[in-house]
């Protein structure tokens, strides 16, 4: 469980920063750090067992039928990466607290950071490759948010988009590769896949799977030719760059290659693809880095180059090279994070990170100078720092590996190292050395402790690992490399390999050559600027923009706003699908005995048919349409009653009343007639579509009704258990509040949401805007009734109100055993209240009722939910109902059921939702100048005269 | 009786779809109401037509009709009301905001018809 918790903690914690920011920036950062720290602590508790060589697993079944399970595993490789992600994450949180300015929304930043952190930890802890893919895509999405954090910068937005396109696209390829791999191995669990090396490498699908998976890894780890997104992602705030490009995002691709190393590596295909990509990336990016004037761009290309180095080592396919790769991952994370943070400090203090405008900061920022120099020398591979150790080991491996000619790989690796030394030296020399200048955009000085603490700690690590590698890092390298290679590893890290070691001479050449290059940097730079070279962003835009244009024009053509055409197409498509099913399926002729046609129902049918046809003919007269709709609704209610559905009949007729009231209220503000504007061919076409669909639906209904059930229905279960389990004899009601109570709970929630939506839309309409202007200038478009609030109606509704309420209560109470229940009672009570509105006006009635409809909806949903929770105290699953009998003298024995409480929730929600909808429409009418009357009706009976309008107000 | 119910479903659906293909919001709302009737009756009819056997437990009852479609349709009727109410307010809002009640967004004749 705790492994899953480590991955989930950052996601849960992501909710906190947004809340804590209200208590200040330090509180926000502290709570974020606490979340990460807790996850790190949980990881540390597992570490001893992993270091002993155990693999810790947590298995949670999710969708076992699909092979998708939330299985987590922690081995040496996972420990190394998870430790890096959380550990450096902690430092980044500290650094960002002081880096971000007051105007940056810090809560958002930490939320995104935690989301990203959770996704990264998920990747490295996943045992199931489908789960891994989910986390993989989550890193693409959350890094998009981080890279584009400064939304106001166009570079930030473009960089974020490019990163998402490239890494997301690679992720899609990887999904395909992983699925192939899972098919070959017969399982999606890594722990199984990793044992299937022979089967996978012998499969015909090995090469496609390899290429697809490598596409995912290369795009994520910015390998050539997908390296171009990384420098553009530098538009992000520096803490993001430091995090994403030292320890996390770009290392995900490396992690994946290391994770899959046991089954994919060792073949010629793997060697040639991975080694070549890594080598080309390493040399090319190192060369570009030398010519970048922007500190972060320099570091970006150096990151690409170092990732190439690690990729190349994994490509060699030997256990020794993989071990070196693990060691360099640790070293790169430490010095690169420190360097990014130092670059951020320089930028923060001097307000520029352009090398041409910097120099001489050594005396102005001594602390930053010390930190950056240690880290940069390590990046250059200068003894005795940790970068030197792993670079030496890399050169040693490269010298022994044959790639083309025997000497070629060694020579190219030396050239790569040479450039690497050169740009590292340049980073130090052109930022800190040289004379102090007087034209910095802002006078620089060292920042406060909070800002340099994190890079200083990392620089300390660089030195400690460099001086005592066997003590500080060898154990972690052994565990991680052991997990990658599947065999125990006992690495020997030494500073001195003797004069016979080729690596020594390669290093000497690299450092010597670098000094020469740096000396000639000015002239080389001029040459570099004069040479034309492909601009990656232009190529990328050249590919993406036509595609975007194509998809925009395609969707614009299909979604041109002609909503009626969409309906026609959808209708015809559904009919076609139905016909396809009918003609390709098998069916037997209908043998069910049919009901004889009775006279009275046939008359009802006739009324319905005439009313429907009349609607089609007279639909331009909107008021008449509503009357006809009322007839149809009435006939359908009667039909329900006839066909043994009393509950439906009651519901339909009460819904009918409120629907018509609602539509009348709306019609008041809509044109009263529909203009005749469609052409005759259009009408013919619409008619044809409508008739086709209608005939198809009629045929389908008839076919269904004339056949018996194909399978035994589950109705018998409900009939048999309604009384014994649910305690009610009205089976429909017992289904609603008991058997399918959870569904009903969902439905009343939807109803409540619909009512709130109507309220919100009304609020929006009543805000200043064209709708509000139109309402304020509203002129009634037809004559008003002479007596707006007739005394007869007002008195009658007043008299009826308590009786109607009583009927509502009665219907509610009997609902469990006889037709009725919460839905119907809610509607009946609503109608009783609406009558008051109609008789005396909205404002008059509103002023006299004290129940807030929002509260009614909330109370209803909460009552239903609480009733469900109540069953937990009974030790039964959510929404299990209970019932019993109580005998209170002098009453008869009566039944109680928790379902009645649930039904009460239904009742409250329905009442609240219906009333809120109607009240919202009435508020629109008020805005349009509907007057508020002080008297309940237009006549003062005590004086026997009609009140004039002024008095009535 | 089955033929009567089936034909009523078909006619309601036809009329509903025809009105939904009109170009003004009000007929579309009425059309949706008619289509809801058709669909609700259709779902109800899936339980087959039975006369005089309501799903109320009773010792004297000869049998019961299928209660499940009824439960489904009961909530569907109430939800249909909620849905109608939402589109009514959307239609009203669109009319008040834009000054016309056309459904399609392709028309370039966008002049308001509401008197100011």
């Amino acid at each position: 469980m705790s492994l899953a918790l480590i991955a989930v903690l950052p996601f849960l914690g992501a909710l906190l920063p947004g809340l804590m920011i209200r208590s200040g920036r330090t509180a926000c950062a502290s709570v974020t750090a606490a979340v990460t720290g807790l996850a790190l602590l949980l990881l540390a508790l597992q570490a001893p067992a992993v270091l002993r060589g155990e693999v810790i697993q947590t298995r949670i079944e999710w969708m076992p039928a699909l092979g998708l399970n939330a299985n987590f595993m922690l081995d040496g490789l996972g420990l190394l990466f998870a430790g890096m992600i959380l550990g450096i994450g902690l430092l980044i949180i500290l650094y960002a607290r002081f880096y971000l300015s007051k105007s940056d929304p810090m809560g958002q930043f930490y939320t995104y950071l935690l989301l990203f952190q959770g996704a990264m930890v998920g990747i490295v802890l996943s045992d199931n490759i489908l789960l891994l893919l989910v986390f993989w895509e989550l890193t693409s999405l959350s890094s998009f948010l981080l890279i584009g954090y400064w939304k106001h910068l166009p570079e930030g937005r473009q960089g974020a988009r490019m990163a998402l396109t490239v890494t997301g696209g690679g992720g899609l390829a990887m999904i395909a590769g992983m699925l192939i791999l899972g098919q070959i191995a017969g399982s999606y669990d890594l722990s199984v896949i990793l044992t299937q090396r022979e089967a996978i490498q012998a499969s015909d699908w090995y090469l496609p799977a390899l290429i697809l998976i490598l596409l995912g890894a290369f795009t994520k780890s910015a390998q050539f030719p997908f390296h171009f997104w990384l420098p553009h992602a530098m538009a992000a705030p520096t803490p993001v760059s430091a995090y994403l490009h030292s320890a996390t995002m770009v290392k995900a691709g490396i992690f994946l290659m290391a994770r899959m190393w046991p089954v994919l590596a060792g073949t010629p295909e793997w060697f040639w693809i991975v080694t070549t990509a890594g080598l080309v990336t390493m040399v090319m990016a190192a060369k570009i880095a030398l010519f970048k004037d922007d500190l972060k761009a320099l570091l970006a290309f150096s990151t690409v180059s170092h990732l190439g180095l690690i990729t190349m080592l994994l490509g060699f396919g030997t256990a020794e090279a993989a071990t070196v790769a693990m060691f360099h991952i640790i070293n790169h994370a430490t010095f690169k994070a420190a360097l990014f943070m130092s670059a951020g400090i320089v930028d923060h203090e001097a307000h520029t990170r352009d090398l041409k405008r910097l120099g001489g900061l050594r005396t102005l920022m001594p602390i930053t100078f010390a930190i950056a120099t240690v880290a940069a020398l390590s990046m250059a591979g200068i003894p005795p720092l940790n970068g030197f150790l792993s670079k030496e080991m890399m050169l040693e491996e490269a010298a022994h590996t044959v790639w083309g000619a025997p000497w070629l790989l060694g020579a190219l690796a030396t050239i790569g190292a040479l450039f690497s030394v050169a740009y590292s030296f340049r980073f130090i020399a052109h930022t800190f050395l040289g004379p102090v200048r007087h034209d910095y955009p802002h006078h620089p000085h060292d920042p406060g402790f909070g800002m340099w603490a994190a890079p200083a700690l990392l620089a300390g690590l660089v030195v400690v690992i460099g001086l005592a590698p066997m003590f500080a890092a060898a154990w972690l390298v052994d565990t991680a490399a052991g997990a990658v290679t599947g065999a125990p590893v006992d690495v020997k890290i030494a500073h001195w390999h003797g004069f016979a070691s080729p690596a020594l001479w390669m290093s000497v050449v690299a450092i010597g050559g670098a000094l020469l290059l740096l000396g000639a940097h000015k002239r080389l730079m001029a040459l570099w600027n004069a040479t034309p070279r492909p601009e990656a962003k232009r190529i990328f835009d050249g590919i993406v923009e036509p595609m975007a244009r194509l998809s925009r024009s395609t969707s614009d053509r299909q979604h041109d706003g002609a909503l009626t055409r969409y309906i026609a197409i959808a209708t015809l498509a559904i009919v076609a699908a139905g016909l396809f099913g009918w003609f390709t399926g098998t069916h037997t002729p209908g043998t069910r005995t049919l009901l004889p046609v009775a006279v009275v129902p046939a008359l009802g049918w006739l009324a319905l048919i005439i009313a429907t046809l009349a609607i089609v003919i007279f639909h331009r007269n909107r008021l008449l349409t509503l009357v006809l709709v009322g007839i149809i609704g009435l006939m359908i209610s009667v039909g329900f009653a006839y066909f043994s559905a009393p509950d439906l009949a009651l519901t339909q007729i009460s819904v009918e009343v409120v629907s018509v009231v609602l539509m009348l209220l709306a019609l008041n503000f809509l044109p009263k007639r529909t203009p005749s504007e469609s052409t005759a061919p259009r009408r013919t076409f619409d008619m044809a579509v409508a008739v086709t669909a209608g005939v198809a639906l009629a045929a389908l209904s008839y076919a269904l009704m004339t056949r018996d059930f194909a399978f035994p229905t589950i109705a018998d279960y409900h009939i048999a258990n309604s009384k014994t389990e649910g305690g009610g004899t009205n089976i429909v009601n017992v289904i609603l509040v008991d058997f399918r109570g959870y569904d009903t709970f969902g439905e009343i929630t939807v109803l409540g949401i619909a009512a709130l939506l109507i309220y919100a839309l009304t609020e929006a309409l009543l805000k200043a805007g064209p709708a509000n202007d139109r309402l304020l200038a509203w002129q009634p478009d037809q004559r008003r009734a002479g007596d707006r609030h007739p005394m007869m109606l007002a008195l009658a509704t007043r008299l009826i109100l308590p009786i109607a309420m009583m009927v509502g209560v009665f219907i509610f109470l009997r609902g469990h055993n006889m037709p009725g229940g919460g839905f119907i009672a809610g509607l009946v009570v609503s109608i009783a209240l609406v009558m008051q509105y109609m008789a005396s006006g909205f404002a008059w009635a509103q002023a006299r009722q004290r129940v807030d409809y929002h509260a009614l909806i909330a109370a209803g949903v909460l009552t239903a939910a609480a009733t469900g929770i109540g069953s937990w105290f009974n030790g039964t699953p959510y929404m299990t109902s209970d019932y019993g009998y109580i005998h209170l003298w002098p009453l008869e024995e009566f039944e109680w059921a928790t379902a009645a409480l649930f039904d009460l929730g239904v009742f409250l929600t329905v009442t609240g939702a219906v009333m809120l909808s109607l009240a919202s429409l009435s508020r629109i009418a008020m805005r349009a100048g509907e007057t508020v009357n002080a008297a309940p009706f237009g006549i003062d009976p005590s004086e026997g005269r009609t009140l004039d309008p002024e008095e009535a107000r | 009786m089955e033929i009567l119910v089936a034909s009523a479903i078909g006619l309601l659906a036809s009329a509903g779809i025809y009105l939904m293909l009109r170009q003004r919001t009000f007929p579309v709302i009425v059309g949706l109401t008619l289509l809801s009737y058709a669909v609700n009756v259709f779902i109800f009819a899936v339980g087959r037509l039975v006369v005089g056997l309501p799903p109320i437990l009773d010792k004297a009852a000869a049998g019961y009709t299928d209660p499940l479609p009824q439960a489904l349709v009961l909530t569907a009727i109430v939800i249909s009301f909620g849905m109608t109410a939402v589109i009514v307010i959307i239609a009203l809002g669109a009319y008040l905001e834009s000054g016309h009640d056309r459904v399609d967004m392709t028309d370039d004749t966008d002049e308001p018809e509401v008197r100011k």
Side-chain angles (χ1 to χ4, degrees):
Chain A
M1 195 59 227
S2 76
L3 281 188
L5 199 58
I6 297 173
V8 168
L9 253 180
F11 286 111
L12 294 178
L15 297 169
L16 297 175
L19 293 173
M20 290 307 289
I21 191 69
R22 293 170 190 205
S23 319
R25 291 148 64 87
T26 305
C28 180
S30 310
V31 88
T32 313
V35 171
T36 307
L38 189 61
L40 192 61
L41 182 72
L42 287 174
L43 185 75
L45 292 176
Q46 309 282 355
V50 176
L51 290 174
R52 279 196 304 273
E54 291 171 29
V55 175
I56 297 161
Q57 288 192 316
T58 300
R59 312 185 69 83
I60 303 167
E61 292 225 323
W62 185 5
M63 284 184 253
L66 292 178
L68 174 55
N69 292 314
N71 292 346
F72 293 92
M73 101 176 158
L74 181 67
D75 62 356
L77 186 65
L79 180 69
L80 168 67
F81 274 90
M84 252 171 23
I85 294 160
L86 294 170
I88 295 190
L90 209 50
L91 297 178
I92 296 289
I93 292 165
L94 168 68
Y95 178 76
R97 159 66 188 84
F98 297 97
Y99 180 86
L100 292 179
S101 72
K102 284 212 163 56
S103 56
D104 294 324
M106 192 181 262
Q108 261 179 41
F109 180 84
Y110 282 127
T111 297
Y112 296 163
L113 193 79
L114 283 178
L115 287 176
F116 176 75
Q117 191 177 69
M120 277 305 302
V121 173
I123 290 182
V124 301
L125 294 186
S126 291
D127 183 17
N128 187 287
I129 50 175
L130 299 179
L131 186 68
L132 189 151
L133 287 169
V134 172
F135 285 120
W136 186 275
E137 295 298 339
L138 279 178
T139 60
S140 293
L141 292 175
S142 50
S143 66
F144 172 79
L145 295 172
L146 281 173
I147 296 170
Y149 173 69
W150 278 332
K151 301 180 192 72
H152 53 280
L153 298 180
E155 305 85 49
R157 298 197 301 267
Q158 286 162 9
R161 247 188 345 253
M162 189 190 275
L164 182 67
T165 313
V166 176
T167 61
L172 290 179
M174 203 174 86
I175 291 177
M178 288 294 199
L179 291 178
I180 297 176
L181 203 63
Q183 288 297 319
I184 302 174
S187 167
Y188 290 110
D189 280 346
L190 269 173
S191 38
V192 178
I193 293 173
L194 292 184
T195 59
Q196 304 274 322
R197 181 190 159 95
E198 285 75 24
I200 289 168
Q201 297 198 349
S203 163
D204 290 340
W205 287 93
Y206 167 72
L207 191 61
L210 177 71
I211 291 173
L212 289 168
I213 291 175
L214 286 179
L215 269 178
F218 284 180
T219 48
K220 203 76 152 184
S221 283
Q223 294 302 295
F224 180 82
F226 307 111
H227 60 284
F228 56 88
W229 69 264
L230 197 148
H232 286 283
M234 287 300 137
T238 303
V240 172
S241 312
Y243 196 37
L244 262 57
H245 304 134
S246 68
T248 54
M249 169 103 161
V250 294
K251 291 279 171 68
I254 301 284
F255 169 82
L256 195 85
M257 284 188 268
R259 180 96 282 173
M260 293 296 166
W261 195 89
V263 286
L264 295 182
T267 61
E269 295 95 327
W270 169 275
F271 176 79
W272 284 106
I273 299 175
V274 179
T275 306
T276 309
L279 186 65
V280 171
T281 311
M282 176 174 83
V283 178
M284 179 208 64
K287 188 190 74 182
I288 299 176
L290 183 59
F291 298 107
K292 286 290 166 189
D293 284 328
D294 179 1
L295 275 182
K296 279 178 77 179
L298 186 155
L299 291 176
F301 278 102
S302 122
T303 301
V304 173
S305 167
H306 279 268
L307 292 167
L309 187 161
I310 300 169
T311 304
M312 179 184 80
L313 283 169
L314 289 170
F316 288 171
T318 61
E320 293 76 25
T323 310
V324 179
M326 291 303 115
F327 188 36
H328 196 68
I329 287 169
I330 301 175
N331 297 337
H332 179 247
T334 51
F335 66 67
K336 192 50 68 63
L339 281 171
F340 267 118
M341 291 193 220
S342 308
I345 292 175
V346 169
D347 190 16
H348 199 259
E349 299 302 326
H351 290 201
T352 181
R353 35 175 221 249
D354 188 344
L355 282 174
K356 289 201 293 281
R357 306 191 61 183
L358 291 167
L361 294 183
R362 175 173 45 93
T363 48
L364 297 173
M365 309 174 73
I367 300 174
T368 315
F369 169 61
I371 296 167
T373 305
V374 167
L377 289 178
S378 175
M379 177 161 77
I382 301 301
L385 301 168
N386 62 357
F388 162 73
L389 298 170
S390 46
K391 180 166 288 183
E392 197 86 328
M393 290 160 84
M394 178 277 286
L395 291 172
E396 188 75 37
E397 294 301 324
H400 298 311
T401 307
V402 179
W403 185 80
W407 52 267
L408 188 56
L409 190 64
L412 287 173
T414 311
I415 294 174
L418 190 153
F419 283 123
S420 178
V421 178
Y423 66 66
S424 304
F425 283 174
R426 180 165 181 245
F427 182 96
I428 303 171
H430 290 188
T431 311
F432 295 102
L433 303 185
V436 174
R437 299 167 65 147
H438 299 287
D439 57 348
Y440 305 116
H442 185 260
H443 187 70
H445 53 79
D446 269 323
F449 172 73
M451 204 156 168
W452 61 258
L457 186 72
L458 288 166
L461 274 177
V462 165
V463 176
V464 171
I465 297 176
L467 292 178
M470 293 308 286
F471 160 76
W475 48 276
L476 192 55
V477 175
D478 284 348
T479 324
V484 173
T485 58
V489 173
D490 191 12
V491 69
K492 293 274 174 289
I493 307 172
H495 292 88
W496 182 249
H497 302 278
F499 286 108
S501 153
L504 176 67
W505 302 110
M506 290 156 92
S507 277
V508 169
V509 170
I511 295 172
L515 289 172
L516 287 177
L517 271 188
L518 205 58
H521 188 263
K522 261 210 176 92
R523 257 168 291 154
L524 289 174
M525 192 78 180
L527 189 67
W528 169 263
N529 285 334
T531 354
R533 50 185 181 277
E535 173 64 47
K537 183 165 165 28
R538 206 169 303 140
I539 301 172
F540 176 79
D541 287 345
I543 298 170
V544 169
E545 262 169 23
M547 284 163 78
R549 254 201 313 278
L550 179 70
S551 60
R552 198 173 305 128
S553 72
T554 314
S555 58
D556 278 357
R557 218 172 302 132
Q558 284 160 1
H559 289 250
D560 59 352
L563 298 175
T564 48
R565 206 192 60 194
Y566 305 172
I567 296 178
I569 292 173
T571 308
L572 291 175
I574 293 168
V575 172
L579 285 175
F580 176 77
W582 176 263
F583 287 115
T584 52
T586 52
H587 24 79
T588 52
T591 52
R592 193 180 161 89
T593 37
L594 301 183
L595 294 174
V597 177
V599 177
V600 176
L603 288 177
W605 172 83
L606 198 62
L608 186 146
I609 296 296
I610 291 171
T612 312
L613 289 173
I615 284 188
V616 174
I617 298 165
F618 300 114
H619 76 264
R620 295 186 200 296
N621 184 343
R622 294 180 171 180
L623 194 61
L624 180 63
T625 312
L626 282 187
V627 176
L628 292 168
V629 167
I631 295 177
I632 298 174
L634 185 66
M635 286 306 121
I636 289 179
S637 319
V638 175
F640 281 141
Y642 180 71
F643 291 116
S644 317
D647 281 282
L648 290 189
L650 284 171
T651 313
Q652 183 73 58
I653 197 154
S654 38
V655 161
E656 214 45 56
V657 174
V658 287
S659 296
V660 169
V661 171
L662 180 95
M663 294 214 245
L664 276 173
L665 280 172
L667 186 56
N668 184 25
F669 292 99
L670 289 170
K672 305 297 173 287
R673 286 194 60 82
T674 307
S676 167
E677 53 192 353
S678 16
T679 56
R682 160 98 197 232
R683 252 175 278 173
T684 316
F685 172 76
D686 291 349
M687 194 63 89
V689 171
V691 170
T692 311
V695 168
L697 189 58
L700 177 65
S701 330
Y702 187 70
L704 254 174
M705 284 186 281
T706 51
R707 285 160 175 81
D708 279 314
F709 295 113
F711 304 97
T713 70
I714 53 173
D716 295 338
Y717 169 84
H718 294 107
I719 294 169
N721 295 305
S722 176
K723 181 71 185 161
T724 50
E725 299 278 317
T729 54
N730 180 0
I731 308 170
V732 173
N733 183 267
V734 174
I735 291 174
L736 286 175
V737 299
D738 192 330
F739 291 127
R740 309 296 306 164
Y742 205 63
D743 291 353
T744 309
F745 180 60
E747 308 205 49
I748 59 170
T749 313
V750 170
L751 197 63
I753 291 172
L756 293 179
L757 178 63
I758 290 166
Y759 177 79
L761 283 168
T762 308
E763 285 285 298
L765 286 179
L766 296 183
K767 284 223 178 73
N772 191 43
D773 296 344
R774 284 204 177 88
L775 283 173
L776 287 176
W778 189 263
Q779 294 294 324
D781 55 356
Q782 55 189 15
R783 222 156 47 79
R784 287 293 158 112
D787 192 357
R788 279 177 55 215
H789 305 296
M791 187 170 85
M792 291 272 275
L793 181 63
L795 286 179
T797 53
R798 232 51 107 241
L799 205 60
I800 290 171
L801 180 65
I803 302 169
M805 290 292 192
M806 201 64 207
V807 170
V809 172
F810 172 68
I811 285 181
F812 173 78
L813 285 179
R814 71 183 226 145
H816 212 43
N817 291 318
M818 299 303 281
F823 277 111
I824 301 163
L827 289 163
V828 167
V829 169
S830 304
I831 294 170
L833 292 174
V834 168
M835 285 198 301
Q836 306 304 313
Y837 286 84
M838 293 201 300
S840 299
F842 169 69
W844 191 90
Q846 189 75 359
R848 279 154 188 78
Q849 67 96 19
R850 296 189 177 80
V851 186
D852 180 29
Y853 298 133
H854 296 81
L856 218 52
I857 296 173
V861 174
L862 290 177
T863 306
T867 312
I869 288 171
S871 54
W872 285 344
F873 296 101
N874 227 349
T876 47
Y878 189 65
M879 292 237 172
T880 314
S881 71
D882 198 4
Y883 70 99
Y885 296 90
I886 299 178
H887 193 208
L888 282 180
W889 188 86
L891 298 173
E892 276 192 58
E893 182 182 72
F894 67 91
E895 182 192 327
W896 62 267
T898 58
L901 213 53
F902 182 84
D903 218 9
L904 181 67
V906 173
F907 165 78
L908 292 174
T909 313
V910 171
T911 311
V914 171
M915 292 313 292
L916 188 60
S917 314
L918 296 174
S920 296
L921 277 164
S922 303
R923 288 180 56 217
I924 293 180
M926 300 265 296
R927 183 60 55 91
E930 191 66 57
T931 49
V932 180
N933 48 312
F937 35 79
I939 293 175
D940 185 350
S942 62
E943 298 180 24
R945 66 182 177 91
T946 306
L947 298 172
D948 63 52
E950 282 309 309
E951 271 181 285
R953 275 169 204 217
Chain B
M1 292 300 283
E2 278 79 358
I3 188 75
L4 294 189
V5 173
S7 58
I9 292 174
L11 186 65
L12 283 171
S14 282
I17 290 171
Y18 179 74
L19 289 185
M20 284 170 75
L21 291 172
R22 299 303 89 210
Q23 293 168 48
R24 301 284 170 154
T25 51
F26 195 81
V28 172
I29 295 169
V30 175
L32 195 62
T33 310
L34 295 186
L35 192 63
S36 304
Y37 286 145
V39 172
N40 285 343
V41 175
F42 173 76
I43 297 174
F44 170 72
V46 168
R48 309 301 189 264
L49 301 182
V50 178
V51 176
L53 300 174
I56 310 285
L57 290 179
D58 187 356
K59 289 199 178 63
Y64 306 101
T65 183
D66 192 337
L68 211 54
Q70 295 196 14
L72 290 176
V73 171
L74 200 154
T75 48
I77 294 171
V78 181
I79 293 281
S80 309
F81 166 75
M83 186 181 67
T84 310
V86 170
I87 61 164
V88 162
I89 193 85
I90 289 175
L92 186 55
Y95 177 65
L96 291 173
E97 286 282 338
S98 67
H100 68 82
D101 64 345
R102 286 194 199 88
V103 174
D104 288 346
M105 295 180 288
T106 47
D107 291 349
D108 36 22
T109 53
D110 230 16
E111 87 284 3
E113 290 166 18
V114 180
R115 276 164 297 158
K116 280 249 178 184

